[in-house]
Amino acid sequence: MRGKFKDIVTDLAENDPRVIVLLGDISVFQFRHFQERFPDRFHNMGICENALISVAAGLASQGYHPFVHTIAPFITDRSFEQIKLDMVYNDFGGNIVSCGASFDYAWDGATHHTYFDLAMLRMLPGAEVCQPGSEAELAALMPSQYANGKTTYFRLSDKPHDIDLGDDLAFGRGVVLKDVGAPMTVMTAGPMLAEVLPACQDLNVNLVYFHTLKPIDQAPVTRFADTEIVVVQDAFGLSEAIAGVRPGLRMAVLGVDRMDRFETCYGTHHDMRAALQLDTAALRARIPTAFQSAA
Amino acid sequence: MDQALAKNIRQSILRASHRSGHGHIPTCFSIVESLIATYRFMDQDPQNPAAPDRDMFVLSKGHASLAQYCTLAHLGYFEVAEVDRFGAHGSTFGCHPDRLKVPGVEVSTGSLGHGIGVAVGMALAARKQAAATQTRTRQVVTLIGDGEANEGSVWEAVMVAADQALDNLKIIYDANKSQIRCLQLPDPAARFAAFGCAVQSVDGHDVAALLTALNQPTDRPSVIVADTQKGYGCQTLVDEMFAWHRRSPDADELALLMDELDAR
């Protein structure tokens, strides 16, 4: 997905001289052609996430459209106050593009696991939060949002799904993947769709997918509000977004939820999903009984 | 002229603090001359503070906002009487500045260690704009406190500014010795020089010296270490700077401090 990000930004930069890339010494090789093509609009600024955000806010204050890119926990957890104040409170805006979502870097341990970012950034007034699960989704979201003056978070994943969601992808719009009139609806977001879609294949459930967590699309939540809703997530944020649509939803959460501990295991993202019972087989077994186990 | 202006600004700070019940007076008093020099140095129009070709100032130590408000008022950005509602609910003038409310405020600050990083981005933007339009490079001045320089984000920003060789960035370091009871920063001039800046040390209460330093051309970010006193102008504030750090004078104290200002 990082390669797609580079392609999109390169295309945008061809037509928009206000596009600037600020890297935290990540994806530098990926952006080598961008650097050659636009040397004045490329800065590998260094491993200094606080400064990356503040400098981007300063650039945005003067009309530029900065893309800040580095590893997710460091640009979001460490620089949360810079994002909150310099970008959002000051209303300067800017684009934050992270890599290493959730357990993409499982082997690196808890310092590199990222599952607070979506929930944290979702709380910021006026901020936009995107969790594209595939390159096609990124291509649909980034060009429409990068220049709107807001603070927009694009959470890339190195482990995207490869499911074709069609051409009708648009920022802020959820995707109803399955509507069988079932009494239960599964809702998920981002790369987890790779596990959730096959898990739901033979279950009597409806399925809704989100690539935008803020603003959350209220229409599909409202449409299935009378069903039991099972949220499957590998990071905090989606369940809070859905719960905020309307009171009284009957909702159970599978995955990262009320997790009052660090996940200190290593391995791959597959290992982590298995450990959290978020792999396809586990989900297929857990979804039908989600309300029983939640109770 | 500048001494009279400085005295007027300090009197306005005292009055606004007394009327509002708010204010960090000693830290405001240490930067009055720096603010006067900064606005003398910059190309800015009080009648058009958002002019696209303006120079820009960022008060990184945002808790000294009252000094900036009173300076802006005396320079014609708005009426000084408006500042009397300082800190009140619904007031334009908060105890930390809001760029969306106050004409002439470029960045909303208050959390230390933020304004300087944004100023670096503004200076970088100004240089890009100048190159694209073949016009003069707009100048960016930011004022940071010595206590604020305890924040690691300050040094990240300075490193980036030096790495980008931002010769249009002026950093005034208000060396008012506010952190003598905690984390020390001995010889700040040497530290900023080691970080790649062009450093000048001046009397921070000498407007002419500050202005000369601001006008000194450099090929890298310029740091002006302004040697100042917290509470400069009122001996009571200088002698009891920690007791007065965040305090507003009652009527008797106001009279005393006004007398001390007059006595200088």
Side-chain angles (χ1 to χ4, degrees):
Chain A
M1 203 182 287
R2 282 199 255 178
K4 188 65 176 178
F5 161 49
K6 177 262 301 175
D7 291 342
I8 294 168
V9 172
T10 304
D11 288 346
L12 294 173
E14 289 288 353
N15 299 307
D16 187 345
R18 299 167 298 174
V19 168
I20 294 177
V21 170
L22 305 177
L23 302 184
D25 204 25
I26 287 295
S27 304
V28 180
F29 186 73
Q30 189 76 258
F31 272 86
R32 64 194 183 282
H33 297 309
F34 183 100
Q35 181 180 12
E36 291 166 7
R37 179 78 181 88
F38 307 106
D40 297 334
R41 291 194 271 153
F42 172 87
H43 299 278
N44 180 18
M45 202 151 268
I47 305 167
C48 48
E49 293 81 10
N50 291 175
L52 276 169
I53 295 293
S54 298
V55 169
L59 286 163
S61 78
Q62 302 306 306
Y64 288 100
H65 303 311
F67 287 82
V68 178
H69 174 54
T70 192
I71 301 176
F74 313 132
I75 201 65
T76 58
D77 296 356
R78 176 179 294 163
S79 296
F80 181 68
E81 195 185 45
Q82 276 73 21
I83 298 169
K84 179 181 80 169
L85 296 180
D86 301 352
M87 283 188 169
V88 179
Y89 172 56
N90 266 287
D91 200 24
F92 291 142
N95 300 292
I96 303 161
V97 186
S98 71
C99 58
S102 292
F103 303 104
D104 282 5
Y105 303 154
W107 51 81
D108 284 324
T111 57
H112 285 60
H113 301 164
T114 310
Y115 41 86
F116 303 120
D117 54 338
L118 297 167
M120 288 166 59
L121 298 187
R122 212 184 64 81
M123 290 190 293
L124 297 176
E128 299 175 336
V129 178
C130 302
Q131 188 188 10
S134 69
E135 293 185 354
E137 293 164 41
L138 182 65
L141 299 173
M142 190 167 270
S144 68
Q145 304 310 116
Y146 82 98
N148 63 8
K150 297 184 177 182
T151 300
T152 304
Y153 180 46
F154 298 97
R155 187 195 210 232
L156 309 189
S157 173
D158 292 346
K159 319 293 180 190
H161 68 70
D162 57 0
I163 298 159
D164 183 1
L165 298 179
D167 297 328
D168 192 26
L169 296 168
F171 173 78
R173 195 187 303 160
V175 182
V176 178
L177 291 173
K178 186 177 171 187
D179 182 358
V180 294
M184 177 178 283
T185 304
V186 177
M187 298 188 178
T188 193
M192 274 302 301
L193 187 62
E195 308 284 350
V196 177
L197 183 66
C200 292
Q201 206 79 54
D202 299 320
L203 298 179
N204 183 33
V205 295
N206 315 304
L207 176 59
V208 179
Y209 173 74
F210 297 95
H211 46 60
T212 306
L213 268 63
K214 188 179 180 185
I216 195 76
D217 188 358
Q218 299 193 18
V221 179
T222 302
R223 177 171 161 185
F224 295 106
D226 293 334
T227 71
E228 292 182 326
I229 295 174
V230 179
V231 179
V232 180
Q233 60 184 24
D234 62 356
F236 295 103
L238 177 63
S239 59
E240 298 96 314
I242 293 169
V245 170
R246 57 189 290 174
L249 294 174
R250 286 173 293 154
M251 198 168 85
V253 182
L254 301 180
V256 174
D257 176 47
R258 290 175 288 179
M259 198 169 73
D260 196 22
R261 67 181 190 283
F262 286 100
E263 281 298 329
T264 56
C265 296
Y266 309 109
T268 68
H269 71 291
H270 293 298
D271 295 326
M272 296 303 286
R273 287 177 182 175
L276 292 166
Q277 296 183 280
L278 285 173
D279 58 299
T280 299
L283 287 172
R284 188 178 291 125
R286 293 176 74 204
I287 286 170
T289 60
F291 281 82
Q292 296 164 28
S293 55
Chain B
M1 185 177 71
D2 287 332
Q3 283 186 340
L5 177 59
K7 182 176 172 181
N8 288 340
I9 291 169
R10 287 192 170 90
Q11 287 172 335
S12 295
I13 291 169
L14 288 176
R15 285 194 199 97
S17 178
H18 167 65
R19 289 170 182 160
S20 67
H22 297 293
H24 292 82
I25 299 173
T27 197
C28 285
F29 276 24
S30 72
I31 66 167
V32 170
E33 285 77 16
S34 292
L35 291 169
I36 293 171
T38 294
Y39 284 98
R40 294 250 187 278
F41 166 74
M42 290 195 302
D43 186 351
Q44 272 220 357
D45 178 3
Q47 304 307 312
N48 187 14
D53 59 348
R54 72 192 184 282
D55 294 330
M56 295 174 282
F57 171 66
V58 178
L59 180 66
S60 199
K61 47 175 272 184
H63 58 295
S65 62
L66 185 53
Q68 187 180 16
Y69 300 155
C70 291
T71 303
L72 289 169
H74 281 280
L75 293 177
Y77 286 74
F78 40 78
E79 295 296 321
V80 71
E82 295 179 38
V83 184
D84 283 352
R85 294 195 68 244
F86 179 61
H89 188 72
S91 171
T92 300
F93 302 95
C95 293
H96 298 93
D98 186 333
R99 77 170 192 93
L100 300 174
K101 295 179 179 174
V102 183
V105 169
E106 299 281 357
V107 178
S108 307
T109 54
S111 180
L112 296 175
H114 284 249
I116 184 173
V118 179
V120 170
M122 295 163 90
L124 185 59
R127 191 173 69 184
K128 291 178 185 296
Q129 289 166 337
T133 59
Q134 295 297 300
T135 53
R136 80 172 183 101
T137 305
R138 300 155 65 202
Q139 303 293 300
V140 178
V141 182
T142 186
L143 195 157
I144 65 172
D146 53 5
E148 180 178 15
N150 287 179
E151 299 282 3
S153 57
V154 166
W155 299 97
E156 278 191 20
V158 171
M159 281 192 290
V160 171
D163 186 57
Q164 299 292 326
L166 293 176
D167 57 3
N168 61 329
L169 178 67
K170 314 285 185 184
I171 302 166
I172 299 175
Y173 176 86
D174 179 33
N176 68 8
K177 298 89 182 171
S178 69
Q179 92 286 26
I180 55 171
R181 62 183 178 182
C182 59
L183 181 54
Q184 298 290 299
L185 209 70
D187 199 356
R191 290 174 189 243
F192 283 108
F195 272 67
C197 299
V199 185
Q200 303 167 81
S201 297
V202 302
D203 176 352
H205 297 300
D206 183 337
V207 173
L210 287 159
L211 199 48
T212 299
L214 285 165
N215 278 305
Q216 185 70 35
T218 64
D219 59 356
R220 66 192 83 172
S222 171
V223 173
I224 298 162
V225 176
D227 183 20
T228 62
Q229 273 187 321
K230 283 191 87 165
Y232 180 82
C234 293
Q235 198 57 47
T236 297
L237 301 180
V238 173
D239 292 342
E240 302 171 33
M241 67 174 181
F242 289 118
W244 277 93
H245 175 71
R246 183 168 196 163
R247 181 176 162 191
S248 127
D250 62 23
D252 291 340
E253 290 166 333
L254 177 65
L256 170 70
L257 296 174
M258 286 293 193
D259 285 346
E260 290 184 4
L261 273 183
D262 280 337
R264 284 193 67 84

